[in-house]
Amino acid sequence: MDDVVWSGTWVAERLGVELIGGEELPGLLGLALRRNPKRAHLLVSNVLGKHVPQRPGVVYGSGFSLGLRVRDLLGRDDAARSVVVGYAETATGLGHSVADGLGFAPYLHSTRRPVDGVASAGGFEESHSHATSHLLLPEDPKLLAGDGPLVLVDDEFSTGNTVLNTIRDLHERFPRERYVVVALVDMRSAEDLGRLEAFARQIGARVDLVTGAAGTVRLPDGVLEKGQALVAAHETAPDVPDGSVPPPRTPLTAPVRVELGWPTSIPDGGRHGFGAPHAAALNDALPAMTQRLGAALGGARRILVLGFEELMYAPLRLAVALERAGRDVSYSTTTRSPVLAVDDPGYAIRTRLVFPAHDEPADGPGERYAYNVAGAGFDAVVAVVDSVADTPELHAPDGLLAQLAAHIPHVVLAVVPSYVPECGAERAVEASQALEAAAEAPQGTEATRGTSAPEATPARKATHATPAREATRGTDAREATRATSAAEATRELRATSAPEAPRAVHAPEATQALRAIRAPEATQAPERSSMLPEPLRGPAFSSYAPEEVGWLLQDLSDVELEAPTEEREEAIQSGGAHYAESLPVEYQPSAQYQELFHAALETSAARIARAVGTVTETVLAEKAGTPVLVSLARAGTPVGVLMRRWAQARHGLELPHYAVSIVRGRGIDANALRWLAAHHDPADVVFVDGWTGKGAITRELADAIKEFERAEGITGFDPEIAVLADPGSCVRTYGTREDFLIPSACLNSTVSGLISRTVLRADLVGPDDFHGGKFYRELAGADVSNAFLDAVAARFDEVADDVATGVKELLAADRTPTWEGWAAVERISEEYGIHDVNLVKPGVGETTRVLLRRVPWKILAQRDAGADLAHVRLLADQRGVPVEEVDGLPYTCVGLIHPQFTRGATGADGKAVVSQ
């Protein structure tokens, strides 16, 4: 990587411009020069998708992750009331991505395209831009009239003038208490740093700032004049390496027009507003449109999806969908911004295609540009325009399509119908009818040869002052540039909505309303929506702190799922129900049992801390990237939280941690994997569990990952599980292989954040849903979840040296699983006439579960096991279950579930009877 030339070097060396900030900035930004009388230099973003082709998942994820941070800043209630505004032209897609990350919030972007019949709700000036006037044209005038937070999104935050102009204009008519400014980079000078805070005090509102990275540009005296002179010299001198591409030669092939089948009810972007129902409908329509695009592209290997000026979001979503389908895709957009092109690796704009405007702009004809497209090695390009821009100029000999066809072998034109609000002129109605007729026609995947121009073109009260707050100043560039994998990054959706009109429909409800209703006996699975909700977090769901873990579950707390243990066991063993379809009644520990738990915690806390440190250090040593902990709910979740705490305490690392559901016989929650792949690199994911028994979940996870890769085409997840204890020798990554009492196994929800086992039942969990779980708020008085975590974490310092020594030895040792536990289970199953390994539960943790949740038959205990079995003996005595001491057991104990169970196998007191 040391040989890579920064794409701002050329400008920096010639003008003395310095980029000052964190080490992530050169990866996010390059420098170029532009023909602009107000500012000579241009910060060229590598993750915006405007001037520099970039992976669409990175572009979408950069905005989406900023939206997640805004949501966290605002909190659930204010986030549900927020409206997002993006700036034309460069930030229209970024703003829309932020709105998606915020929870598919109502979104509007400014525009420089007037629309007949749509009144302006505001306007403002962008002082340093090449084209300054912005219009706000919402279809619903009430969109900007609410009192919820207004989130304003631009690609960079430099002088702050654009934002101040916007807020000043809107605040005069629609005053509110809170604004949030969002940008990929905060590049304010020292002189501008205090302006936002002063402005907030002036208008009596709170103004927060959320950015992906921060720095500044140091400009020498006279840089504007020097820059203008340099631009003039390179545009006129024949002997300098100008990256402008000569007029097109004969096209390599004729462009192809593909009929996307874009639903006319879905706006082409946020020019007139875009809400949660539109987002739901778009997600449902994307698979079919992606299939049509894929057919038109044929076997093309390197593909560019090229958006059109303000039309950034629609092509971006198409590009992300193509990438998710396994294509090698890049994404960028044409622009009206004039920038000097210099074919030098140290310059951000290597090549420039020039062509006439083709959307009949209000400010008259002019040049438009596509940068870094020619000579980039693309096999195919998909030019995405709206129908207003599908004009004779687009198809002219010097038009965009001809320019592309002269440099790229395969050109595909995809036209998105321009959305015209109902308040538009009569000709818009006629255009809409024509588009609907076209949509009703049979739609195949075969592209139509030739792209001649169409015969007709369709019409086209603050109460206190709070200083501005900077939510972030500098984010790891790795998170910015890797924000999503190739999987689609739209899988985050809030289950709340505000009462005002723009958010009147819950997004999940919108998905259901806009999707065909599933028949219960359908023979063909419906197309799955790619919209998934945000992780649940405490204190709303679980007693853990919100940063400790995000639960990729749906909240079923209000659903009655508990059944008597005997009824559950009979249904499970008879094949009438799966164990994950109901929940056992939560065990309420006696005073004696609670005393036993606390005594066990006191004596084993250091032992557990040592195992936590060992498994965490092993993961950190063997993972190339920053690990993303994904615990298998719920036994794995306390362990995941402790691993996160160790990494934070010993290394200052803030590891992401999520909890997901895995069900024996049903596999892992595939929607949770989809969400993870959208927000993190799958290769960074580390699955975490509490302990291994016979290794059934280890095998279940491996099989489930293999099936997920086959079905989804998403690869990179490592099915290896990291566990605290591996007595069955089933995994490579563990804290210990001893079978000892882990106090978190002694209790159920009251040591696991008050969360139930996970639930998977067809009438509650649809194909687009996370598995379910319950939050037992009513048990808060008995909750020891955080007491357990704190007791173990308090021993981290005392065991640190032992951990360091042990990890060195462990990393050098042969840790290949022997699966001796599985062999022992098979032997026990046959020796005791059970003939079903699923009814044999080896190890202290699994035996405890049998006594708490199932109908136990007997307990096999290692002779002289001692204190590790005190709680097992107590529970067995309470339930009348015999404890049989045996020799040669590879585990401390083994729990046997009653074979061939019926309710007749219990006595009148509910205790198990001896099997015959």
Side-chain angles (χ1 to χ4, degrees):
M1 293 298 294
D2 293 338
D3 295 332
V4 176
V5 179
W6 173 47
S7 62
T9 304
W10 193 92
V11 173
E13 290 177 347
R14 286 159 177 78
L15 295 185
V17 175
E18 294 182 68
L19 188 65
I20 301 171
E23 62 181 11
E24 74 276 6
L25 277 183
L28 296 174
L29 297 171
L31 291 173
L33 299 177
R34 57 183 182 177
R35 290 183 278 135
N36 186 312
K38 301 175 183 178
R39 195 169 79 174
H41 73 283
L42 175 69
L43 294 173
V44 180
S45 172
N46 292 323
V47 298
L48 181 64
K50 174 56 72 171
H51 303 87
V52 179
Q54 177 58 274
R55 298 293 183 192
V58 170
V59 176
Y60 185 74
S62 297
F64 195 94
S65 60
L66 287 170
L68 293 177
R69 288 163 55 198
V70 174
R71 180 207 62 196
D72 292 341
L73 171 70
L74 292 176
R76 185 183 183 92
D77 292 340
D78 275 354
R81 299 167 54 237
S82 61
V83 175
V84 181
V85 173
Y87 288 94
E89 73 177 34
T90 55
T92 59
L94 174 66
H96 211 145
S97 303
V98 169
D100 287 357
L102 186 53
F104 297 89
Y107 175 66
L108 178 74
H109 70 68
S110 67
T111 181
R112 297 189 177 97
R113 180 194 287 179
V115 178
D116 290 343
V118 183
S120 172
F124 46 90
E125 295 295 314
E126 187 175 8
S127 58
H128 65 261
S129 176
H130 59 279
T132 57
S133 296
H134 290 251
L135 299 172
L136 293 175
L137 304 176
E139 179 176 17
D140 181 358
K142 299 189 295 294
L143 182 61
L144 296 173
D147 59 0
L150 185 65
V151 181
L152 302 110
V153 184
D154 207 354
D155 56 318
E156 70 175 85
F157 189 59
S158 48
T159 64
N161 289 336
T162 304
V163 169
L164 299 186
N165 289 338
T166 308
I167 296 177
R168 182 179 292 108
D169 178 79
L170 294 177
H171 196 73
E172 290 177 356
R173 287 174 293 160
F174 310 119
R176 62 189 75 224
E177 295 185 357
R178 191 165 190 184
Y179 298 87
V180 181
V181 180
V182 181
L184 289 172
V185 290
D186 174 8
M187 301 301 291
R188 289 174 294 170
S189 64
E191 294 77 16
D192 290 322
L193 284 177
R195 293 184 63 199
L196 197 61
E197 182 177 351
F199 181 76
R201 288 195 297 266
Q202 176 187 343
I203 65 173
R206 172 172 172 172
V207 184
D208 293 288
L209 177 63
V210 175
T211 62
T216 190
V217 178
R218 182 175 296 163
L219 303 174
D221 292 339
V223 68
L224 178 59
E225 293 76 14
K226 292 179 182 177
Q228 290 173 337
L230 196 56
V231 170
H234 273 261
E235 289 189 328
T236 58
D239 57 342
V240 295
D242 190 337
S244 295
V245 177
R249 59 183 183 274
T250 302
L252 300 176
T253 60
V256 172
R257 181 188 293 268
V258 60
E259 298 299 334
L260 281 177
W262 183 283
T264 57
S265 60
I266 303 175
D268 52 295
R271 181 178 285 112
H272 304 298
F274 197 101
H278 300 131
L282 176 57
N283 277 278
D284 288 341
L286 272 171
M289 293 192 286
T290 306
Q291 185 180 20
R292 296 181 186 111
L293 270 181
L297 287 166
R301 289 170 297 178
R302 292 200 64 222
I303 301 164
L304 173 69
V305 174
L306 184 67
F308 156 62
E309 298 185 30
E310 295 177 9
L311 186 73
M312 296 189 70
Y313 182 73
L316 174 58
R317 292 299 305 278
L318 291 168
V320 169
L322 280 172
E323 186 179 36
R324 180 176 179 269
R327 295 294 194 124
D328 182 357
V329 185
S330 296
Y331 164 81
S332 64
T333 323
T334 66
T335 177
R336 58 164 57 205
S337 174
V339 185
L340 175 69
V342 178
D343 189 13
D344 187 285
Y347 189 79
I349 304 296
R350 301 286 300 274
T351 64
R352 177 180 66 190
L353 296 178
V354 184
F355 51 93
H358 52 90
D359 62 340
E360 300 177 357
D363 56 354
E367 289 184 344
R368 298 295 185 263
Y369 311 93
Y371 296 111
N372 294 317
V373 172
F378 295 114
D379 301 315
V381 58
V382 180
V384 184
V385 303
D386 60 10
S387 53
V388 166
D390 188 13
T391 61
E393 288 79 11
L394 175 68
H395 303 263
D398 61 344
L400 172 61
L401 295 181
Q403 289 276 10
L404 294 173
H407 300 281
I408 299 176
H410 190 32
V411 179
V412 175
L413 173 65
V415 180
V416 177
S418 299
Y419 183 77
V420 181
E422 294 180 1
C423 54
E426 288 184 5
R427 64 183 179 184
V429 176
E430 297 173 0
S432 177
Q433 291 171 346
L435 288 168
E436 288 174 3
E440 290 172 0
Q443 294 172 343
T445 59
E446 188 172 328
T448 303
R449 284 287 168 190
T451 60
S452 58
E455 295 181 3
T457 302
R460 11 193 202 258
K461 197 164 186 172
T463 58
H464 62 278
T466 305
R469 303 187 181 188
E470 299 187 8
T472 109
R473 293 278 296 180
T475 295
D476 190 329
R478 187 168 180 273
E479 291 299 321
T481 57
R482 190 202 65 188
T484 63
S485 72
E488 187 169 9
T490 64
R491 299 149 188 173
E492 181 100 348
L493 186 59
R494 180 187 301 107
T496 61
S497 62
E500 53 263 48
R503 300 298 290 276
V505 182
H506 292 275
E509 294 172 358
T511 305
Q512 294 165 5
L514 291 165
R515 184 191 299 128
I517 298 175
R518 290 190 299 267
E521 300 298 327
T523 57
Q524 183 176 356
E527 290 180 353
R528 179 175 58 211
S529 170
S530 59
M531 299 172 65
L532 291 169
E534 63 187 273
L536 301 172
R537 296 184 182 273
F541 188 84
S542 90
S543 59
Y544 292 133
E547 67 276 8
E548 300 268 37
V549 59
W551 301 83
L552 295 177
L553 299 173
Q554 62 167 315
D555 189 353
L556 299 179
S557 299
D558 296 331
V559 181
E560 190 67 35
L561 292 167
E562 291 75 14
T565 300
E566 289 76 16
E567 291 183 11
R568 292 184 74 246
E569 194 64 50
E570 181 179 24
I572 292 168
Q573 292 200 30
S574 68
H578 190 278
Y579 77 88
E581 294 178 348
S582 63
L583 294 173
V585 177
E586 280 290 302
Y587 170 71
Q588 298 300 303
S590 64
Q592 183 183 5
Y593 191 86
Q594 288 178 322
E595 290 177 7
L596 190 152
F597 165 81
H598 287 290
L601 179 58
E602 176 63 28
T603 58
S604 65
R607 193 177 185 183
I608 297 170
R610 191 177 300 110
V612 168
T614 299
V615 69
T616 308
E617 293 295 343
T618 303
V619 167
L620 292 174
E622 296 189 333
K623 271 290 176 185
T626 300
V628 176
L629 304 178
V630 177
S631 58
L632 304 181
R634 69 186 167 181
T637 305
V639 178
V641 174
L642 285 169
M643 291 176 67
R644 184 181 183 279
R645 288 192 180 188
W646 178 278
Q648 184 182 50
R650 306 300 303 175
H651 301 282
L653 296 174
E654 296 285 347
L655 301 185
H657 176 213
Y658 306 96
V660 303
S661 170
I662 187 169
V663 176
R664 180 172 51 80
R666 304 286 179 85
I668 196 167
D669 187 343
N671 285 323
L673 293 182
R674 292 170 60 219
W675 190 96
L676 289 167
H679 296 82
H680 299 280
D681 186 342
D684 289 340
V685 167
V686 178
F687 294 103
V688 176
D689 207 356
W691 55 85
T692 63
K694 56 182 173 286
I697 290 298
T698 305
R699 297 186 177 193
E700 187 79 42
L701 179 61
D703 292 342
I705 293 296
K706 185 181 299 183
E707 171 59 23
F708 177 78
E709 291 181 343
R710 185 199 64 78
E712 298 286 336
I714 299 172
T715 60
F717 287 109
D718 184 351
E720 174 76 19
I721 304 177
V723 298
L724 201 62
D726 179 36
S729 187
C730 305
V731 299
R732 291 186 68 259
T733 308
Y734 51 85
T736 179
R737 275 186 168 156
E738 297 177 2
D739 184 20
F740 70 99
L741 171 61
I742 301 173
S744 61
C746 292
L747 300 171
N748 284 331
S749 67
T750 52
V751 76
S752 306
L754 298 180
I755 301 302
S756 72
R757 291 190 67 265
T758 59
V759 175
L760 179 58
R761 205 170 81 190
D763 61 326
L764 298 174
V765 180
D768 304 330
D769 299 327
F770 293 139
H771 294 187
K774 296 186 71 168
F775 176 27
Y776 291 115
R777 299 171 178 83
E778 65 275 14
L779 300 182
D783 186 26
V784 293
S785 303
N786 287 292
F788 168 70
L789 298 174
D790 293 343
V792 175
R795 303 295 188 93
F796 284 171
D797 288 343
E798 108 184 30
V799 303
D801 291 341
D802 288 346
V803 168
T805 301
V807 169
K808 288 181 180 178
E809 295 174 355
L810 192 62
L811 291 174
D814 181 5
R815 291 175 283 139
T816 304
T818 65
W819 293 92
E820 63 181 279
W822 187 277
V825 166
E826 290 181 326
R827 175 176 54 80
I828 292 169
S829 174
E830 296 305 312
E831 284 182 4
Y832 285 82
I834 297 174
H835 308 302
D836 184 353
V837 294
N838 291 321
L839 300 182
V840 180
K841 302 294 184 180
V844 176
E846 291 301 303
T847 301
T848 304
R849 287 179 170 186
V850 170
L851 290 164
L852 292 177
R853 303 178 189 170
R854 306 293 291 270
V855 175
W857 176 30
K858 62 178 63 177
I859 305 300
L860 308 182
Q862 194 178 77
R863 200 177 303 279
D864 301 323
D868 280 336
L869 284 189
H871 77 292
V872 169
R873 296 181 189 279
L874 177 61
L875 284 174
D877 181 66
Q878 290 176 346
R879 298 201 63 181
V881 179
V883 178
E884 179 180 323
E885 292 192 341
V886 296
D887 294 314
L889 201 64
Y891 297 93
T892 303
C893 62
V894 175
L896 305 182
I897 296 173
H898 205 297
Q900 300 176 338
F901 177 81
T902 67
R903 270 169 283 186
T906 58
D909 59 359
K911 294 182 178 180
V913 299
V914 177
S915 177
Q916 301 300 319

